[in-house]
Structures are given as structure tokens and as C-alpha cells.
Amino acid sequence: MASQYELSRIMRPDDANIVGNVHGGTILKMIEEAGCIIGTRHCNTQSGDRCLAALARVERTDFLHPMFIGEVAHVSAEITYTSKHSVEVQVNVLAENIVTGAKKVTNKATLWYVPISLQNVDKIIEVPPIEYSSPEREEAGKKRYEAQKLERLEDKVRNGEIIMSVSLPEPFTVVCSQSSLIHLVGPSDCTLHGFVHGGVTMKLMDEVAGIVAARHCKTNIVTASVDAINFHRKIKKGCVITVSGRMTFTSNKSMEIEVFVDADPLVEAEKGKYRAVTAFFTYISLDKENKPLPVPPLKLEGEEEQKRFEEGKARYLQNKAKRLADKERQQ
């Protein structure tokens, strides 16, 4: 059975911002498409109910290099671990300049999928196991599975509030850059089940995070990384989704934006609004030569904002330490 898949396409003007940097959401959408294809193919290699791989989580994703209009994105996906009801897919993204032939790795991502029956969307199908090259690889995959499972539960417990809009705020405050986007989920947004593609949701989340970052800096901004994206509940066709973002932390050259997706079923209004997806995006500010610019400090108002800032700072320092450790291992 095939455990690898690759897709490629050229980046066009509608994939990028006004200065030619490809949107992080565009890349995230391609990553999810590759993951969904390989996950669905794998889970249908056995007899029984036909199924579709539904995105459950995306681990922290760094944007290592920018991608530009005219470059070809090569997205390769590989299944690296399977549990009884989930599939881990690791994805690499390569940008190719077709004029010079130069290639660069722009993204590395890890996604988790759950196979959902096409006959019954509430039924989760068992996943066919994969063969590992060594017992150590299987054990490492099991540890990643247990870690993400625990983080998803913790994230689900801590998230409950909904962002409220505030008018005429003071510059560089949380409420000044806070932004929301409302989107009606249509057929083209959905899987065969009638539920939103994870990639569609991630693209909208990146757009909102980008608006927050741009409002704060008033400069060109690009996605630097995305922390774990947790998909708590499915979003059905016909729902109105509100994607909200707020600044939580700023360092000298980066901004952390917390993004929520709330779904409101129009047809089944009695079910009420619910929180479907949560994540943290990190952005950087760039000048006209695509060089990093200093980020204006975030002005905090109240204990809650101070608490979120300290939590963001802890994530920032943890990720910085991890990058340095990874760099040392590669040397």
C-alpha cells in the first residue's frame, strides 16, 4: 500500500499578498489537501465501510522561507504513524524557482486525521496499521500520538470565551488590532460528508491572523509559524462561521495571534453556537526588501491580557530554545 503522496502547482497572483509573498493560508490548504488524500487512500485499503480522513489536529508549523508568485510548490506527504483510530501524516513543502532551478524547503508539518464513515458521519473507522522500519520508529510515533492527545484535551478544557468587538480603541492595544471574519460555509468548502475541509478553515484563520498583524504593524507581514491547530468539533455545510483573532504577545520581531473559529448552525439553530477550532499564529513584519522590522510593543490592559501575554512569552521562549537545540543537532 502507498504511504507517500506528492502534489505540485504553480503559485498565482490570487495565492499571494500585494507584494508577491504567498499567503500562509494557501500553503496550509495545500498541506491539508495532500494529507487528506494520503490519509483517505490509506484508510480505504481495507474492506468494510468506505471512509474519508477528517483533520483533527495540526502540530506547530514553521514557515522556514517565503514562497513567491511564479514558484512551483511541491507538497509531499507520508504516513508515519497509525493508532487504532488515527493517522499521523508528515508533510514537506518545497518551493522551486522554475527559471533558475533553485529549490528551498519552506514548510514541514505534522497532521493528525481520523477516518469517518461515509455511511455514518458519527462512526469512526479503524485504521489499517502500517509497517515500521524499526521498533524505535514505532515507539517514537506512539509517544507523539500520546502527547498530541493530551494537548488536545488540555486545549479543549481551557478554551471557552468568545471575543467581543470594541470600537475606537487605543493604538497598539489588543482591541485595536482585534479582527473577525464571517463566512457562510458552502458546498465548495466541504468534503463528501458535507463538513468543512480543514484546509479551508486554516486559510480563513491565517487571513484573520494576517489582518490582526497588519493592523498592529501597518507594514507588510508574513506568517512565520503556526502552533498546534486543534479541531474540536466538525463544521457542517450551511453553518455561519466567525473567525476571530487577537494579539496575545509581541517580541522585538514577532507577533503571536490567537485565532478562534466559532460555528453557528443556521438550519439547526437549536444546537447553538460552538467553538470548533483554535490555534496560535506567529507573524513577522517586513520592509520593502523583505527584511524583518521591529514590532511595536503590545499595550496591555487588564489582568487577562497580562496573563495571555505571559503565556505567549513562555511559548515564544520554549519555541526559541527548541529551534536552537535543533540547529545544534544539525551541525
Side-chain angles (χ1 to χ4, degrees):
M1 63 184 69
S3 60
Q4 294 181 333
Y5 175 77
E6 183 172 327
L7 63 84
S8 302
R9 77 172 179 87
I10 195 165
M11 296 294 97
R12 303 188 182 278
D14 58 354
D15 295 317
N17 63 18
I18 56 175
V19 296
N21 298 115
V22 174
H23 289 297
T26 300
I27 299 170
L28 289 171
K29 188 176 180 182
M30 289 190 295
I31 287 172
E32 197 278 329
E33 287 172 352
C36 180
I37 289 170
I38 192 172
T40 300
R41 281 180 174 173
H42 176 76
C43 292
N44 283 285
T45 54
Q46 60 186 356
S47 59
D49 285 4
R50 299 297 89 190
C51 61
L52 189 73
L55 186 62
R57 176 179 166 91
V58 182
E59 301 291 359
R60 175 183 170 83
T61 304
D62 289 311
F63 289 72
L64 307 174
H65 296 284
M67 192 180 296
F68 300 97
I69 294 171
E71 291 186 326
V72 174
H74 300 282
V75 185
S76 58
E78 180 181 7
I79 294 175
T80 48
Y81 181 77
T82 56
S83 69
K84 185 177 181 181
H85 291 124
S86 65
V87 180
E88 180 192 54
V89 180
Q90 295 192 6
V91 182
N92 290 326
V93 183
L94 193 75
E96 177 191 3
N97 185 316
I98 55 176
V99 176
T100 65
K103 296 180 180 180
K104 59 190 176 185
V105 176
T106 62
N107 299 80
K108 293 183 177 182
T110 301
L111 302 87
W112 292 89
Y113 288 86
V114 175
I116 306 296
S117 169
L118 290 176
Q119 285 73 41
N120 179 1
V121 296
D122 294 319
K123 181 181 178 182
I124 298 176
I125 305 299
E126 288 194 15
V127 176
I130 61 171
E131 293 183 4
Y132 301 94
S133 58
S134 67
E136 290 77 17
R137 282 186 176 273
E138 183 176 6
E139 184 60 29
K142 185 177 180 180
K143 288 180 179 179
R144 293 193 300 271
Y145 167 74
E146 295 295 343
Q148 66 85 28
K149 188 176 180 180
L150 179 61
E151 284 186 23
R152 284 190 70 206
L153 290 173
E154 291 174 346
D155 186 79
K156 196 170 184 179
V157 169
R158 67 174 286 270
N159 281 292
E161 68 219 81
I162 295 177
I163 300 173
M164 304 299 292
S165 61
V166 178
S167 59
L168 300 175
E170 182 183 351
F172 306 121
T173 58
V174 173
V175 294
C176 177
S177 57
Q178 188 169 286
S179 303
S180 295
L181 179 155
I182 298 175
H183 177 75
L184 175 63
V185 177
S188 63
D189 298 322
C190 297
T191 66
L192 296 174
H193 282 130
F195 294 100
V196 176
H197 279 291
V200 171
T201 307
M202 290 193 292
K203 189 173 188 298
L204 292 171
M205 294 173 78
D206 178 74
E207 288 176 5
V208 167
I211 293 170
V212 173
R215 280 181 169 172
H216 185 79
C217 291
K218 308 296 183 185
T219 62
N220 178 35
I221 46 84
V222 293
T223 316
S225 66
V226 186
D227 267 10
I229 303 177
N230 290 293
F231 292 76
H232 302 296
R233 294 178 62 181
K234 297 189 289 291
I235 303 172
K236 198 172 184 179
K237 181 175 66 178
C239 280
V240 172
I241 57 175
T242 302
V243 187
S244 305
R246 63 183 173 200
M247 190 81 66
T248 51
F249 170 77
T250 56
S251 66
N252 184 40
K253 291 185 178 178
S254 68
M255 301 158 275
E256 182 191 72
I257 297 111
E258 188 172 19
V259 182
F260 305 93
V261 180
D262 297 314
D264 189 2
L266 287 183
V267 178
E268 301 172 299
E270 68 279 359
K271 292 187 176 181
K273 196 171 185 177
Y274 60 91
R275 180 140 294 163
V277 191
T278 56
F280 290 98
F281 286 70
T282 299
Y283 272 75
I284 57 173
S285 174
L286 300 177
D287 63 17
K288 293 181 180 179
E289 281 73 45
N290 284 315
K291 294 181 180 179
L293 287 170
V295 172
L298 183 64
K299 294 181 181 179
L300 302 174
E301 299 175 318
E303 292 182 4
E304 279 300 313
E305 290 184 8
Q306 183 66 49
K307 179 183 177 183
R308 288 196 292 267
F309 186 89
E310 294 301 326
E311 290 173 347
K313 184 178 181 180
R315 285 187 291 271
Y316 167 77
L317 294 174
Q318 183 181 29
N319 290 326
K320 186 176 180 180
K322 185 177 183 298
R323 286 197 303 272
L324 291 173
D326 289 343
K327 191 174 182 179
E328 289 179 359
R329 281 198 296 269
Q330 292 171 4
Q331 290 177 346

PDB file of all heavy atoms in Angstrom, residues 17-18 24 41 53 73-74 78 95 107 121 129 134 139 144 150 164 182 187 205 243 261 268 271 296 298-299:
ATOM      1  N   ASN A  17      -0.058  37.908  -1.363  1.00  0.00           N
ATOM      2  CA  ASN A  17      -0.427  39.257  -0.947  1.00  0.00           C
ATOM      3  C   ASN A  17       0.011  40.272  -1.998  1.00  0.00           C
ATOM      4  O   ASN A  17       0.521  39.897  -3.056  1.00  0.00           O
ATOM      5  CB  ASN A  17       0.157  39.585   0.440  1.00  0.00           C
ATOM      6  CG  ASN A  17       1.687  39.585   0.453  1.00  0.00           C
ATOM      7  OD1 ASN A  17       2.349  39.661  -0.580  1.00  0.00           O
ATOM      8  ND2 ASN A  17       2.258  39.499   1.647  1.00  0.00           N
ATOM      9  N   ILE A  18      -0.151  41.552  -1.696  1.00  0.00           N
ATOM     10  CA  ILE A  18       0.076  42.588  -2.716  1.00  0.00           C
ATOM     11  C   ILE A  18       1.544  42.741  -3.102  1.00  0.00           C
ATOM     12  O   ILE A  18       1.839  43.350  -4.140  1.00  0.00           O
ATOM     13  CB  ILE A  18      -0.479  43.942  -2.244  1.00  0.00           C
ATOM     14  CG1 ILE A  18       0.139  44.344  -0.900  1.00  0.00           C
ATOM     15  CG2 ILE A  18      -1.999  43.910  -2.151  1.00  0.00           C
ATOM     16  CD1 ILE A  18      -0.280  45.718  -0.429  1.00  0.00           C
ATOM     17  N   GLY A  24       0.302  32.369   3.849  1.00  0.00           N
ATOM     18  CA  GLY A  24       0.498  31.161   4.648  1.00  0.00           C
ATOM     19  C   GLY A  24      -0.696  30.242   4.571  1.00  0.00           C
ATOM     20  O   GLY A  24      -0.559  29.015   4.563  1.00  0.00           O
ATOM     21  N   ARG A  41      -6.779   7.567   1.253  1.00  0.00           N
ATOM     22  CA  ARG A  41      -6.360   6.395   0.476  1.00  0.00           C
ATOM     23  C   ARG A  41      -5.957   5.241   1.397  1.00  0.00           C
ATOM     24  O   ARG A  41      -6.354   4.091   1.185  1.00  0.00           O
ATOM     25  CB  ARG A  41      -5.184   6.767  -0.436  1.00  0.00           C
ATOM     26  CG  ARG A  41      -5.593   7.503  -1.703  1.00  0.00           C
ATOM     27  CD  ARG A  41      -4.362   7.814  -2.538  1.00  0.00           C
ATOM     28  NE  ARG A  41      -4.716   8.399  -3.822  1.00  0.00           N
ATOM     29  CZ  ARG A  41      -3.839   8.896  -4.695  1.00  0.00           C
ATOM     30  NH1 ARG A  41      -2.552   8.864  -4.398  1.00  0.00           N
ATOM     31  NH2 ARG A  41      -4.245   9.403  -5.828  1.00  0.00           N
ATOM     32  N   ALA A  53     -10.767  10.743   5.455  1.00  0.00           N
ATOM     33  CA  ALA A  53      -9.904  11.185   6.551  1.00  0.00           C
ATOM     34  C   ALA A  53     -10.248  12.630   6.924  1.00  0.00           C
ATOM     35  O   ALA A  53     -10.118  13.536   6.102  1.00  0.00           O
ATOM     36  CB  ALA A  53      -8.437  11.069   6.151  1.00  0.00           C
ATOM     37  N   ALA A  73       5.118  25.018  -6.017  1.00  0.00           N
ATOM     38  CA  ALA A  73       5.091  24.379  -4.703  1.00  0.00           C
ATOM     39  C   ALA A  73       4.993  22.868  -4.884  1.00  0.00           C
ATOM     40  O   ALA A  73       4.087  22.377  -5.552  1.00  0.00           O
ATOM     41  CB  ALA A  73       3.910  24.890  -3.888  1.00  0.00           C
ATOM     42  N   HIS A  74       5.951  22.138  -4.308  1.00  0.00           N
ATOM     43  CA  HIS A  74       5.927  20.678  -4.309  1.00  0.00           C
ATOM     44  C   HIS A  74       5.600  20.230  -2.887  1.00  0.00           C
ATOM     45  O   HIS A  74       6.382  20.462  -1.965  1.00  0.00           O
ATOM     46  CB  HIS A  74       7.271  20.102  -4.740  1.00  0.00           C
ATOM     47  CG  HIS A  74       7.699  20.510  -6.115  1.00  0.00           C
ATOM     48  ND1 HIS A  74       7.179  19.941  -7.252  1.00  0.00           N
ATOM     49  CD2 HIS A  74       8.578  21.459  -6.528  1.00  0.00           C
ATOM     50  CE1 HIS A  74       7.733  20.484  -8.320  1.00  0.00           C
ATOM     51  NE2 HIS A  74       8.589  21.419  -7.906  1.00  0.00           N
ATOM     52  N   GLU A  78       3.650  11.853   3.802  1.00  0.00           N
ATOM     53  CA  GLU A  78       3.981  10.468   4.152  1.00  0.00           C
ATOM     54  C   GLU A  78       3.299  10.089   5.459  1.00  0.00           C
ATOM     55  O   GLU A  78       3.300  10.868   6.418  1.00  0.00           O
ATOM     56  CB  GLU A  78       5.492  10.309   4.299  1.00  0.00           C
ATOM     57  CG  GLU A  78       5.922   8.893   4.667  1.00  0.00           C
ATOM     58  CD  GLU A  78       7.419   8.760   4.830  1.00  0.00           C
ATOM     59  OE1 GLU A  78       8.125   9.792   4.784  1.00  0.00           O
ATOM     60  OE2 GLU A  78       7.890   7.619   5.020  1.00  0.00           O
ATOM     61  N   ALA A  95       9.723  24.828  -2.453  1.00  0.00           N
ATOM     62  CA  ALA A  95       9.437  25.854  -3.463  1.00  0.00           C
ATOM     63  C   ALA A  95      10.516  25.803  -4.528  1.00  0.00           C
ATOM     64  O   ALA A  95      11.710  25.831  -4.220  1.00  0.00           O
ATOM     65  CB  ALA A  95       9.390  27.232  -2.831  1.00  0.00           C
ATOM     66  N   ASN A 107       8.318  24.592   4.299  1.00  0.00           N
ATOM     67  CA  ASN A 107       7.482  24.151   5.420  1.00  0.00           C
ATOM     68  C   ASN A 107       7.689  22.679   5.731  1.00  0.00           C
ATOM     69  O   ASN A 107       7.943  21.873   4.822  1.00  0.00           O
ATOM     70  CB  ASN A 107       5.995  24.338   5.125  1.00  0.00           C
ATOM     71  CG  ASN A 107       5.613  25.764   4.883  1.00  0.00           C
ATOM     72  OD1 ASN A 107       5.813  26.277   3.790  1.00  0.00           O
ATOM     73  ND2 ASN A 107       5.064  26.428   5.888  1.00  0.00           N
ATOM     74  N   VAL A 121     -21.612   9.590   9.621  1.00  0.00           N
ATOM     75  CA  VAL A 121     -20.559  10.557   9.949  1.00  0.00           C
ATOM     76  C   VAL A 121     -20.156  10.528  11.420  1.00  0.00           C
ATOM     77  O   VAL A 121     -19.130  11.091  11.790  1.00  0.00           O
ATOM     78  CB  VAL A 121     -21.001  11.985   9.566  1.00  0.00           C
ATOM     79  CG1 VAL A 121     -21.200  12.104   8.072  1.00  0.00           C
ATOM     80  CG2 VAL A 121     -22.256  12.398  10.317  1.00  0.00           C
ATOM     81  N   PRO A 129      -3.049  -0.759  10.089  1.00  0.00           N
ATOM     82  CA  PRO A 129      -1.701  -0.436  10.594  1.00  0.00           C
ATOM     83  C   PRO A 129      -0.694  -0.340   9.455  1.00  0.00           C
ATOM     84  O   PRO A 129      -0.880  -0.923   8.382  1.00  0.00           O
ATOM     85  CB  PRO A 129      -1.389  -1.621  11.515  1.00  0.00           C
ATOM     86  CG  PRO A 129      -2.221  -2.746  10.976  1.00  0.00           C
ATOM     87  CD  PRO A 129      -3.481  -2.114  10.456  1.00  0.00           C
ATOM     88  N   SER A 134      11.577   0.214  11.939  1.00  0.00           N
ATOM     89  CA  SER A 134      12.240  -0.275  13.151  1.00  0.00           C
ATOM     90  C   SER A 134      11.293  -0.110  14.337  1.00  0.00           C
ATOM     91  O   SER A 134      10.386   0.731  14.303  1.00  0.00           O
ATOM     92  CB  SER A 134      13.531   0.502  13.414  1.00  0.00           C
ATOM     93  OG  SER A 134      13.237   1.849  13.753  1.00  0.00           O
ATOM     94  N   GLU A 139       7.842   3.277  18.331  1.00  0.00           N
ATOM     95  CA  GLU A 139       7.756   3.798  19.706  1.00  0.00           C
ATOM     96  C   GLU A 139       7.756   5.329  19.697  1.00  0.00           C
ATOM     97  O   GLU A 139       7.022   5.963  20.468  1.00  0.00           O
ATOM     98  CB  GLU A 139       8.935   3.271  20.535  1.00  0.00           C
ATOM     99  CG  GLU A 139       8.898   3.676  22.007  1.00  0.00           C
ATOM    100  CD  GLU A 139       7.660   3.183  22.729  1.00  0.00           C
ATOM    101  OE1 GLU A 139       7.108   2.124  22.334  1.00  0.00           O
ATOM    102  OE2 GLU A 139       7.230   3.864  23.686  1.00  0.00           O
ATOM    103  N   ARG A 144       4.510  10.494  20.176  1.00  0.00           N
ATOM    104  CA  ARG A 144       3.921  11.692  19.552  1.00  0.00           C
ATOM    105  C   ARG A 144       2.407  11.636  19.630  1.00  0.00           C
ATOM    106  O   ARG A 144       1.736  12.649  19.885  1.00  0.00           O
ATOM    107  CB  ARG A 144       4.370  11.811  18.096  1.00  0.00           C
ATOM    108  CG  ARG A 144       5.840  12.094  17.897  1.00  0.00           C
ATOM    109  CD  ARG A 144       6.150  12.501  16.461  1.00  0.00           C
ATOM    110  NE  ARG A 144       5.796  11.478  15.482  1.00  0.00           N
ATOM    111  CZ  ARG A 144       6.594  10.507  15.079  1.00  0.00           C
ATOM    112  NH1 ARG A 144       7.818  10.400  15.590  1.00  0.00           N
ATOM    113  NH2 ARG A 144       6.199   9.622  14.171  1.00  0.00           N
ATOM    114  N   LEU A 150      -3.011  14.337  24.646  1.00  0.00           N
ATOM    115  CA  LEU A 150      -3.082  15.062  25.919  1.00  0.00           C
ATOM    116  C   LEU A 150      -3.239  16.562  25.681  1.00  0.00           C
ATOM    117  O   LEU A 150      -4.047  17.228  26.336  1.00  0.00           O
ATOM    118  CB  LEU A 150      -1.819  14.778  26.735  1.00  0.00           C
ATOM    119  CG  LEU A 150      -1.728  15.487  28.095  1.00  0.00           C
ATOM    120  CD1 LEU A 150      -2.883  15.058  29.003  1.00  0.00           C
ATOM    121  CD2 LEU A 150      -0.391  15.181  28.757  1.00  0.00           C
ATOM    122  N   MET A 164     -15.208  39.734  21.943  1.00  0.00           N
ATOM    123  CA  MET A 164     -16.197  40.781  21.688  1.00  0.00           C
ATOM    124  C   MET A 164     -15.502  41.973  21.046  1.00  0.00           C
ATOM    125  O   MET A 164     -14.410  42.368  21.441  1.00  0.00           O
ATOM    126  CB  MET A 164     -16.872  41.228  22.994  1.00  0.00           C
ATOM    127  CG  MET A 164     -17.523  40.093  23.770  1.00  0.00           C
ATOM    128  SD  MET A 164     -18.831  39.250  22.852  1.00  0.00           S
ATOM    129  CE  MET A 164     -20.048  40.557  22.794  1.00  0.00           C
ATOM    130  N   ILE A 182     -16.485  36.748   8.934  1.00  0.00           N
ATOM    131  CA  ILE A 182     -17.675  35.886   8.919  1.00  0.00           C
ATOM    132  C   ILE A 182     -17.804  35.233   7.552  1.00  0.00           C
ATOM    133  O   ILE A 182     -17.687  35.902   6.517  1.00  0.00           O
ATOM    134  CB  ILE A 182     -18.941  36.695   9.262  1.00  0.00           C
ATOM    135  CG1 ILE A 182     -18.833  37.269  10.679  1.00  0.00           C
ATOM    136  CG2 ILE A 182     -20.188  35.826   9.140  1.00  0.00           C
ATOM    137  CD1 ILE A 182     -19.966  38.184  11.073  1.00  0.00           C
ATOM    138  N   PRO A 187     -20.973  24.530  -0.449  1.00  0.00           N
ATOM    139  CA  PRO A 187     -20.593  23.190  -0.912  1.00  0.00           C
ATOM    140  C   PRO A 187     -19.128  23.057  -1.312  1.00  0.00           C
ATOM    141  O   PRO A 187     -18.510  22.022  -1.068  1.00  0.00           O
ATOM    142  CB  PRO A 187     -21.514  22.968  -2.123  1.00  0.00           C
ATOM    143  CG  PRO A 187     -22.673  23.876  -1.880  1.00  0.00           C
ATOM    144  CD  PRO A 187     -22.126  25.083  -1.186  1.00  0.00           C
ATOM    145  N   MET A 205      -8.367  31.198   8.912  1.00  0.00           N
ATOM    146  CA  MET A 205      -7.691  31.556  10.162  1.00  0.00           C
ATOM    147  C   MET A 205      -6.428  32.369   9.887  1.00  0.00           C
ATOM    148  O   MET A 205      -6.137  33.364  10.574  1.00  0.00           O
ATOM    149  CB  MET A 205      -7.350  30.291  10.959  1.00  0.00           C
ATOM    150  CG  MET A 205      -8.563  29.524  11.458  1.00  0.00           C
ATOM    151  SD  MET A 205      -8.148  27.940  12.219  1.00  0.00           S
ATOM    152  CE  MET A 205      -7.584  28.484  13.840  1.00  0.00           C
ATOM    153  N   VAL A 243     -14.555  33.747  12.397  1.00  0.00           N
ATOM    154  CA  VAL A 243     -13.137  33.519  12.668  1.00  0.00           C
ATOM    155  C   VAL A 243     -12.597  34.779  13.333  1.00  0.00           C
ATOM    156  O   VAL A 243     -12.604  35.857  12.725  1.00  0.00           O
ATOM    157  CB  VAL A 243     -12.361  33.210  11.372  1.00  0.00           C
ATOM    158  CG1 VAL A 243     -10.931  32.797  11.695  1.00  0.00           C
ATOM    159  CG2 VAL A 243     -13.057  32.119  10.568  1.00  0.00           C
ATOM    160  N   VAL A 261     -12.305  29.765  15.860  1.00  0.00           N
ATOM    161  CA  VAL A 261     -13.368  29.597  14.870  1.00  0.00           C
ATOM    162  C   VAL A 261     -14.629  29.138  15.605  1.00  0.00           C
ATOM    163  O   VAL A 261     -14.642  28.074  16.220  1.00  0.00           O
ATOM    164  CB  VAL A 261     -12.993  28.565  13.782  1.00  0.00           C
ATOM    165  CG1 VAL A 261     -14.128  28.428  12.769  1.00  0.00           C
ATOM    166  CG2 VAL A 261     -11.705  28.972  13.084  1.00  0.00           C
ATOM    167  N   GLU A 268     -30.058  24.239  11.993  1.00  0.00           N
ATOM    168  CA  GLU A 268     -30.273  23.605  13.298  1.00  0.00           C
ATOM    169  C   GLU A 268     -29.903  24.588  14.405  1.00  0.00           C
ATOM    170  O   GLU A 268     -29.032  24.337  15.223  1.00  0.00           O
ATOM    171  CB  GLU A 268     -29.442  22.326  13.389  1.00  0.00           C
ATOM    172  CG  GLU A 268     -29.771  21.313  12.304  1.00  0.00           C
ATOM    173  CD  GLU A 268     -28.807  20.145  12.288  1.00  0.00           C
ATOM    174  OE1 GLU A 268     -27.604  20.377  12.078  1.00  0.00           O
ATOM    175  OE2 GLU A 268     -29.262  19.018  12.504  1.00  0.00           O
ATOM    176  N   LYS A 271     -29.182  23.971  18.202  1.00  0.00           N
ATOM    177  CA  LYS A 271     -27.921  23.419  18.700  1.00  0.00           C
ATOM    178  C   LYS A 271     -27.006  24.501  19.247  1.00  0.00           C
ATOM    179  O   LYS A 271     -26.118  24.222  20.048  1.00  0.00           O
ATOM    180  CB  LYS A 271     -27.222  22.640  17.585  1.00  0.00           C
ATOM    181  CG  LYS A 271     -27.948  21.362  17.190  1.00  0.00           C
ATOM    182  CD  LYS A 271     -27.133  20.549  16.206  1.00  0.00           C
ATOM    183  CE  LYS A 271     -27.822  19.223  15.885  1.00  0.00           C
ATOM    184  NZ  LYS A 271     -27.040  18.403  14.940  1.00  0.00           N
ATOM    185  N   PRO A 296       6.032  46.916  16.969  1.00  0.00           N
ATOM    186  CA  PRO A 296       5.629  47.799  18.069  1.00  0.00           C
ATOM    187  C   PRO A 296       5.186  46.979  19.276  1.00  0.00           C
ATOM    188  O   PRO A 296       4.449  46.003  19.135  1.00  0.00           O
ATOM    189  CB  PRO A 296       4.443  48.576  17.473  1.00  0.00           C
ATOM    190  CG  PRO A 296       4.618  48.478  15.998  1.00  0.00           C
ATOM    191  CD  PRO A 296       5.256  47.151  15.745  1.00  0.00           C
ATOM    192  N   LEU A 298       3.175  45.545  22.399  1.00  0.00           N
ATOM    193  CA  LEU A 298       1.747  45.448  22.659  1.00  0.00           C
ATOM    194  C   LEU A 298       1.410  46.140  23.976  1.00  0.00           C
ATOM    195  O   LEU A 298       2.034  45.868  25.008  1.00  0.00           O
ATOM    196  CB  LEU A 298       1.339  43.972  22.720  1.00  0.00           C
ATOM    197  CG  LEU A 298      -0.140  43.653  22.924  1.00  0.00           C
ATOM    198  CD1 LEU A 298      -0.970  44.145  21.752  1.00  0.00           C
ATOM    199  CD2 LEU A 298      -0.334  42.145  23.105  1.00  0.00           C
ATOM    200  N   LYS A 299       0.438  47.045  23.952  1.00  0.00           N
ATOM    201  CA  LYS A 299      -0.012  47.715  25.166  1.00  0.00           C
ATOM    202  C   LYS A 299      -1.083  46.861  25.836  1.00  0.00           C
ATOM    203  O   LYS A 299      -2.110  46.560  25.227  1.00  0.00           O
ATOM    204  CB  LYS A 299      -0.575  49.105  24.838  1.00  0.00           C
ATOM    205  CG  LYS A 299       0.455  50.087  24.313  1.00  0.00           C
ATOM    206  CD  LYS A 299      -0.180  51.445  24.034  1.00  0.00           C
ATOM    207  CE  LYS A 299       0.837  52.427  23.492  1.00  0.00           C
ATOM    208  NZ  LYS A 299       0.207  53.753  23.189  1.00  0.00           N
TER     209      LYS A 299
END
